[in-house]
Amino acid sequence: MKFKYLMLGLACVALSCTKTSEIDRKVDDLLSRMTLEEKIGQMNQLDYGSVNDGLIAAGKVGSVLNCVDAQKVNAMQKVAVEQSRLGIPLLVARDVIHGFHTIFPIPLGQAATFDPALVEQGARIAAVEASSYGVRWTFSPMLDIARDARWGRIAEGSGEDPYLTCLMGQAMVRGYQGDDLSKPNTMAACAKHFVGYGASEGGRDYNTANIPERVLRNVYLPPFEAAAKSGACTFMTSFNDVNGVPSTGNRWLLDDVLRGEWGWDGMIVTDWNSAGELIAHGFASNLEHAAQLSLDAGVDMDMMAYAYISNLEKLIEKGEVKQAQIDKAVRRILKLKFELGLFDNPYVDESFAGSLDYCPEHLEAARKCAVESAVLLKNEGALPIGEGKTLLVCGPLADAPADQLGTWCFDGNPEYTLTPLQALRKYYKVLYEPMLAYSRDNNVSAFPKLRTAASKADAIVLFLGEEAILSGEAHCLADLHLQGAQSELVDYAAACGKPLVLVVMAGRPLTIEEEIGLSDATLYCFHPGTMGGQAIAELISGREVPSGKLPVCFARSAGQYPLYYNRPNTGRPNTGHELLLDQIPLNAGQTSTGCQSYYLDAGYGPLYTFGYGLSYTTFDYANVKLSKTELKPSDVLKVDFDLINTGSYDADEVPMLFVQDVTGSIVRPVKELKRFNRVHLKAGQSQHIRFELPVKELAFYGINDKFALESGEFRLWVAPDAASGEAFNFKVIK
Ligand code: GLC
């Protein structure tokens, strides 16, 4: 039997190799028939609003972004296939970031599910919907590690942890690209923004990022390496410079690391006009120079800078770039188009376009994802609320169908959004008093009627947070308090003497310690998408039980950022000794505050740590056992434990394995996530669980600038979050 499977496996490998070599032959043949002008045309990507039939027929465009109308896509393709000299089809692209028409929670919310399989399903659904309109390339997954919630784009990634971001990114690549890229319902993935964009100084978008190479290699590069190794077809260069070199012109990054060290040979596209921005960076003297630097760095396709289309021929004539460089780039572009089946099948079936949009299966997956992405931050008995009761529903996000979809939601139709107000009406008698029209609204004139309204209700459910426009690209905030008069609204609501439930919808962690303190329960929903309202209503009623876990730390104050759990210990770790401002006596002695690492006005740690999230039930972690406490580099550490649902609700839990390398050749994080999985347990049920961790995964980029495993003392925790659990010691011996 085994022999049969072996032969089958070999046959598949042989078939895929044949397919690849068949495609390589076709690419070589086509390339040999192309003029220089036609080759450069393939390296040019234009927005749909900037393209016309003349440019397409002349072979001056290789890819078009932002056309999502099947008829218009086919019309463009018809010109490319029938009127251009060689009939090379266009590659149509779109930012399909967290769903196409059926919108899933923003990626930060999807990360909070700690459920890669569900995230993969969401990406697959996005590909099915978008490709039916002719979109065959998405600019996703966004893999930027983010440790600063002031940065609006924290919404688009998977948070602060490299391991979680690796798994979520790989899940999205699998979902988008499917098991056969040539099928018409797939999209090429794009690992972006390569690299270090999330470290933009001050959390201000597009700003410089200064990242020591060891931190780059231990934190920011791993998710991209994982995406490259899992077959992501394309990469996108980031707007920022890393240590003074803009990514779009960074040959070390693109050629030495991505293509050289990782052996990845996919297609690299710039971000929007990021080649042109090399001039503003002060890295290129003009657009011709920018084109040369980008091509020399290894960029294959120029998005909307007109750098390649208007300068490469000149640069060839001047001998400043080589024909071979252009051939390499065009080969990658053509290869991708062949792999996507565009030469055999350039047109989209217009009769099928959109036929699966918002279908029950897609909406159900979006609902499930919204349920699993919601994080219960506090619950002092207020949740769940028995159905049939009377709820006073307030706040600017209670019935905000567009804002609920979150940032980067070009194609989601708010008409399909199920808002909390609409969904709660299915289970409760609802009194609705918005009180504020939108998150930045300062009009408090309705507040006085709150008390009267509350007197008729069993509980108040207040929906707060951010409008979608306050989240995402170019939407950074220096202050992360609730906008407008939302905080005052919480004060008013808290004074009504009824159970107060806060539901926050935002694209980032907000600093809401006081508001949470005034609530009896707080549920945090990172802009939850089309089915967010249904999910929230089911969580409030107890039909669903909260299980989301924070993919980022929540700060007490924006001043604490950058803030992350997998931090170095420092030489003065805070030992919980926090003499805060109002505790410091007058004329206190210079060293009386303890000389430890903390803020006098914000303390030390986060308000909530990575992995934090409550349930309606409780879980116990017991009988943790290590297979060995002295391990060799070739060993696999097995960590066994029992997880028990000690409460009265069936629910999911996400046990996590954290490891600390106690002493290293460079300072090491106090904890690093190494394993997790989502487990469903009935009330009272226990399950034996095993994490397996190959010791070699404890290697890191150390003092000798090599990835190496270092022997010595280690600690591990099996816990629900980065602040809990009992430490277990083990050693790695050489
Ligand atoms: C934007 C973003 C990038 C996006 C691209 C195309 O500016 O930085 O994430 O994919 O342009 O829309």
Side-chain angles (χ1 to χ4, degrees):
M1 179 67 106
K2 275 190 179 169
F3 178 74
K4 188 180 93 177
Y5 284 125
L6 175 65
M7 293 315 292
L8 191 61
L10 288 173
C12 290
V13 170
L15 183 66
S16 77
C17 293
T18 312
K19 201 171 173 183
T20 309
S21 58
E22 175 62 17
I23 286 179
D24 287 337
R25 191 191 58 71
K26 289 177 180 173
V27 167
D28 290 340
D29 165 60
L30 180 53
L31 203 61
S32 68
R33 293 183 280 122
M34 293 173 77
T35 64
L36 175 61
E37 199 181 14
E38 287 165 336
K39 290 176 183 176
I40 294 168
Q42 287 300 307
M43 301 166 73
N44 187 33
Q45 181 182 55
L46 294 181
D47 182 71
Y48 181 62
S50 307
V51 84
N52 59 54
D53 290 355
L55 288 173
I56 297 172
K60 291 187 177 300
V61 189
S63 172
V64 175
L65 69 154
N66 297 330
C67 178
V68 291
D69 176 298
Q71 288 77 3
K72 289 175 182 165
V73 167
N74 279 344
M76 281 195 300
Q77 282 296 22
K78 192 170 168 62
V79 173
V81 170
E82 296 181 4
Q83 295 181 32
S84 75
R85 188 177 74 89
L86 291 167
I88 301 172
L90 296 165
L91 177 49
V92 177
R94 181 71 159 178
D95 290 282
V96 184
I97 307 301
H98 52 107
F100 182 66
H101 281 150
T102 305
I103 300 300
F104 283 66
I106 56 173
L108 191 59
Q110 294 190 39
T113 68
F114 282 74
D115 190 344
L118 185 57
V119 169
E120 178 178 345
Q121 184 189 3
R124 182 88 295 271
I125 287 168
V128 163
E129 291 189 357
S131 61
S132 78
Y133 291 85
V135 176
R136 298 297 310 278
W137 182 16
T138 179
F139 300 125
S140 172
M142 191 267 219
L143 301 172
D144 301 308
I145 296 296
R147 298 169 154 178
D148 193 330
R150 294 174 294 176
W151 189 49
R153 303 198 79 166
I154 193 171
E156 300 171 48
S158 296
E160 67 191 47
D161 183 76
Y163 179 73
L164 178 61
T165 302
C166 284
L167 294 193
M168 289 303 172
Q170 290 174 317
M172 289 183 193
V173 169
R174 288 193 302 268
Y176 293 136
Q177 297 185 172
D179 52 15
D180 177 355
L181 199 61
S182 66
K183 287 181 182 166
N185 69 357
T186 66
M187 294 195 292
C190 182
K192 75 180 187 182
H193 307 81
F194 195 51
V195 75
Y197 190 17
S200 301
E201 205 163 81
R204 195 177 78 240
D205 210 352
Y206 317 116
N207 203 2
T208 185
N210 292 290
I211 312 172
E213 185 172 342
R214 292 184 188 122
V215 177
L216 204 55
R217 288 184 178 276
N218 288 326
V219 177
Y220 293 92
L221 285 173
F224 288 95
E225 184 175 5
K229 299 278 166 72
S230 65
C233 293
T234 70
F235 267 52
M236 178 187 288
T237 60
S238 62
F239 285 125
N240 58 289
D241 73 86
V242 183
N243 306 327
V245 183
S247 301
T248 302
N250 194 326
R251 185 196 294 220
W252 170 80
L253 185 66
L254 306 183
D255 228 23
D256 298 354
V257 175
L258 176 55
R259 298 197 195 283
E261 288 180 30
W262 300 348
W264 183 81
D265 194 31
M267 191 257 276
I268 299 175
V269 66
T270 71
D271 202 336
W272 185 287
N273 186 38
S274 62
E277 291 178 5
L278 297 181
I279 302 165
H281 272 291
F283 190 72
S285 45
N286 55 42
L287 199 58
E288 181 182 319
H289 188 205
Q292 180 186 1
L293 291 169
S294 303
L295 188 67
D296 284 348
V299 170
D300 303 308
M301 187 175 276
D302 163 18
M303 181 195 293
M304 280 303 284
Y306 297 89
Y308 281 5
I309 195 73
S310 52
N311 293 286
L312 286 185
E313 215 162 330
K314 233 182 304 175
L315 287 164
I316 285 275
E317 284 156 14
K318 291 158 76 175
E320 287 176 12
V321 299
K322 298 185 182 62
Q323 178 75 50
Q325 290 176 273
I326 290 181
D327 286 355
K328 251 195 238 175
V330 178
R331 181 170 277 113
R332 294 179 188 123
I333 295 166
L334 296 177
K335 185 165 186 277
L336 179 56
K337 291 184 177 183
F338 275 111
E339 286 172 342
L340 283 163
L342 288 173
F343 283 89
D344 298 332
N345 187 11
Y347 302 109
V348 67
D349 175 356
E350 294 175 25
S351 65
F352 182 70
S355 56
L356 294 174
D357 290 355
Y358 303 108
C359 67
E361 295 77 15
H362 293 184
L363 291 175
E364 170 50 23
R367 181 203 66 83
K368 185 169 191 293
C369 198
V371 165
E372 293 192 9
S373 68
V375 183
L376 184 61
L377 299 179
K378 176 183 181 182
N379 186 22
E380 290 174 355
L383 288 177
I385 300 174
E387 294 182 15
K389 296 218 169 168
T390 302
L391 300 183
L392 171 59
V393 172
C394 305
L397 274 297
D399 195 33
D403 289 321
Q404 179 175 315
L405 300 180
T407 187
W408 279 110
C409 179
F410 284 161
D411 304 297
N413 182 343
E415 287 170 23
Y416 287 84
T417 303
L418 199 51
T419 65
L421 176 67
Q422 293 163 334
L424 285 168
R425 283 186 165 138
K426 292 194 264 184
Y427 309 112
Y428 298 97
K429 183 173 180 302
V430 171
L431 307 173
Y432 177 49
E433 298 286 353
M435 292 290 145
L436 294 168
Y438 55 97
S439 68
R440 288 168 290 154
D441 190 359
N442 280 298
N443 178 354
V444 300
S445 58
F447 286 16
K449 65 182 178 181
L450 190 63
R451 181 177 290 277
T452 312
S455 65
K456 301 172 193 142
D458 299 305
I460 303 171
V461 187
L462 193 41
F463 290 86
L464 307 167
E466 288 183 309
E467 294 153 73
I469 191 61
L470 304 181
S471 164
E473 182 173 355
H475 302 151
C476 301
L477 291 166
D479 182 312
L480 297 176
H481 287 107
L482 286 168
Q483 301 289 336
Q486 295 185 88
S487 287
E488 290 82 345
L489 180 54
V490 176
D491 294 340
Y492 263 82
C496 290
K498 291 288 173 76
L500 174 61
V501 175
L502 300 187
V503 179
V504 183
M505 288 192 208
R508 55 164 47 96
L510 295 173
T511 51
I512 53 171
E513 183 174 14
E514 283 174 26
E515 293 83 354
I516 293 173
L518 291 170
S519 79
D520 297 292
T522 297
L523 187 68
Y524 213 90
C525 306
F526 300 99
H527 288 129
T530 302
M531 294 299 285
Q534 181 62 28
I536 290 166
E538 292 177 8
L539 288 162
I540 286 175
S541 70
R543 288 167 177 251
E544 290 285 2
V545 177
S547 59
K549 302 282 184 176
L550 293 181
V552 282
C553 289
F554 271 49
R556 289 186 164 82
S557 157
Q560 289 180 280
Y561 287 111
L563 180 72
Y564 47 101
Y565 85 92
N566 42 3
R567 55 180 168 72
N569 204 27
T570 79
R572 293 276 178 101
N574 188 281
T575 52
H577 172 95
E578 294 178 350
L579 204 55
L580 298 176
L581 272 184
D582 52 6
Q583 298 162 325
I584 301 171
L586 291 176
N587 309 314
Q590 169 68 27
T591 60
S592 63
T593 59
C595 299
Q596 292 186 342
S597 178
Y598 80 105
Y599 298 93
L600 295 180
D601 57 351
Y604 173 62
L607 178 62
Y608 299 110
T609 192
F610 176 87
Y612 177 81
L614 300 175
S615 173
Y616 292 154
T617 189
T618 49
F619 292 95
D620 194 19
Y621 291 65
N623 310 319
V624 178
K625 286 190 185 59
L626 282 63
S627 53
K628 283 184 181 178
T629 52
E630 284 205 358
L631 296 111
K632 295 192 294 302
S634 58
D635 283 341
V636 175
L637 172 60
K638 296 175 182 67
V639 183
D640 288 87
F641 63 99
D642 293 322
L643 182 68
I644 306 109
N645 180 340
T646 48
S648 52
Y649 285 87
D650 300 353
D652 285 12
E653 170 68 335
V654 182
M656 302 179 192
L657 175 69
F658 294 95
V659 175
Q660 178 189 17
D661 182 350
V662 179
T663 310
S665 61
I666 60 172
V667 298
R668 306 287 292 122
V670 293
K671 275 183 188 179
E672 293 179 284
L673 179 69
K674 291 293 181 185
R675 290 289 183 272
F676 64 83
N677 70 358
R678 176 176 273 262
V679 181
H680 183 77
L681 290 181
K682 291 191 173 311
Q685 185 190 356
S686 73
Q687 182 172 326
H688 181 81
I689 298 170
R690 166 173 289 185
F691 285 135
E692 297 199 355
L693 179 64
V695 171
K696 66 178 187 300
E697 285 189 29
L698 300 176
F700 65 98
Y701 196 81
I703 193 69
N704 299 320
D705 294 343
K706 295 259 181 305
F707 269 102
L709 176 68
E710 296 182 5
S711 54
E713 300 285 335
F714 286 78
R715 293 192 189 108
L716 72 80
W717 295 259
V718 175
D721 60 52
S724 310
E726 180 190 350
F728 291 81
N729 300 319
F730 66 96
K731 275 184 188 162
V732 172
I733 51 176
K734 288 278 179 171

